[in-house]
Amino acid sequence: MAETPNPPLSSRRGAAACPFDPHPELARRRAEEPVSATDTPAWLGQDIPTWLVTSYTDVRTVLRDPARFSSVRRNPEKPDEPLEAERSGRLLEHDPPEHTRLRGKLVDAFTVRGINAMRPRIEEIVEEHLDAMERTGPPCDLVTSFALPVPSMVICELLGVPYDDRTDFQRRTARLLDNTAPVTEFIAGMAEMNAYIGGLVAAHRTTPDESLLSRLVREHGDELSDEELTGIGALLLIAGHETTANMLSLGALLLLRHPDQLAAVRDDPDAVAPAVEEMLRYLSVVHAPMPRYATQDMEFGGRRIGAGDIVETSLAAANRDEGLVAGDPDRFDITRKPVAHVAFGHGPHQCIGQQLARLEMHLAFPALLRRFPGLRLAVPFEEVRYRRESTVFGVRELPVAW
């Protein structure tokens, strides 16, 4: 299959008008043809009829219905047959009941109560990085000084991953999330990540500690194979730092463009939670979840979808739907009443770590803005560079001063 020179439409951002906005074509499709034909994602390595779903209602329908829209990658020659290779433990590529079995092993670690127990340590990590920024002085890159290391350290300590390995696993993650890379690079990157996590699983079997990987080994080691533990660990490591890091950096940039709303987040504790929900909705840094596969011929959204066809969903388009937000959904407004956005997905695969991500943002944004009340961009807004080729949208760097 030929390489795709640009990210797929489901994840492309508009170039000229506003970098925070989804591609204008997504809004047109949502209004005129909410289920429409699109290109097959390049990383799948083969051409399969592919449909793009853009309306809020239809996106939720697809994501909550694994019976019709399966997460299990299908054999294009035999749509009833899954492709089993390299799926062990990878929750995003399983349907219930197998998905339920795997996810159930993680639920206790990601309850609101369990996550809140991490609050003191997350506060310490945030303050340590703010102290380092203050000592070094301006200007600095907010990505490398704050937005990336804070969630990276949190997820490393939670999982039991050596923080000193962060440069390597961040490089591997960037490679896996590059949606313009050929399928051969994706496969090689996944193999490299699995080898790394597999080594950690073996180490935790030999020398357990109080981390999540050790707890999984101790409590479920007879039920989960090493391959399954590796798949779970890789997913949590990738998702646990990459998404929150990009929300912190892109969210800070968004607030800098809206100083009145920045002031509210800085000064009013009651404004923080709704502001985080509005940022999640408005930015939708995860453009689209893993593709689904139609399990049967069907009529959906006025289209004839065949068994084995790929169905992609645009979370960014759905979160800007007037069916979700009445009254200018393309406007950023932290005074809105929070809505049931799909920034964390929906249905069985809704992000299991969403409460951890929320807590990190609830703590990090006001702490950053209180420590540096004069925070400002150190370069013109037009010179900020974006990660347009990545599955997770963000900025490459964010030079700031104070």
Side-chain angles (χ1 to χ4, degrees), residues 167-250:
T167 300
D168 283 339
F169 74 66
Q170 286 165 1
R171 174 185 56 79
R172 296 186 192 104
T173 298
R175 188 179 182 186
L176 290 170
L177 296 178
D178 183 350
N179 56 27
T180 66
V183 67
T184 51
E185 286 192 15
F186 177 84
I187 293 172
M190 198 70 246
E192 192 177 345
M193 180 66 83
N194 285 343
Y196 171 70
I197 299 296
L200 292 178
V201 169
H204 281 275
R205 283 198 183 275
T206 303
T207 311
D209 54 27
E210 295 307 309
S211 68
L212 180 55
L213 277 178
S214 281
R215 285 168 54 192
L216 288 172
V217 169
R218 184 168 57 249
E219 297 172 11
H220 305 290
D222 294 335
E223 306 163 63
L224 296 171
S225 67
D226 283 358
E227 291 77 17
E228 288 174 327
L229 287 165
T230 295
I232 290 170
L235 172 63
L236 294 178
L237 179 61
I238 293 169
H241 79 275
E242 185 73 21
T243 52
T244 305
N246 284 285
M247 274 300 303
L248 290 176
S249 54
L250 199 64

Side-chain angles (χ1 to χ4, degrees), residues 72-93:
V72 179
R73 193 185 305 185
R74 300 284 156 169
N75 184 337
E77 303 300 325
K78 299 177 181 179
D80 291 338
E81 295 184 5
L83 293 176
E84 294 292 342
E86 300 299 322
R87 290 178 55 239
S88 292
R90 288 162 61 174
L91 279 72
L92 300 183
E93 296 187 39

Side-chain angles (χ1 to χ4, degrees), residues 251-272 275 278-279 331-336 369 373 375:
L253 177 60
L254 178 63
L255 289 172
L256 289 172
R257 299 293 288 174
H258 297 82
D260 55 332
Q261 301 190 63
L262 181 153
V265 173
R266 182 189 64 218
D267 300 333
D268 181 3
D270 291 335
V272 176
E278 175 69 351
M279 279 189 273
R331 177 171 52 87
F332 175 63
D333 182 1
I334 67 171
T335 66
R336 293 186 200 274
L369 300 174
L375 191 72

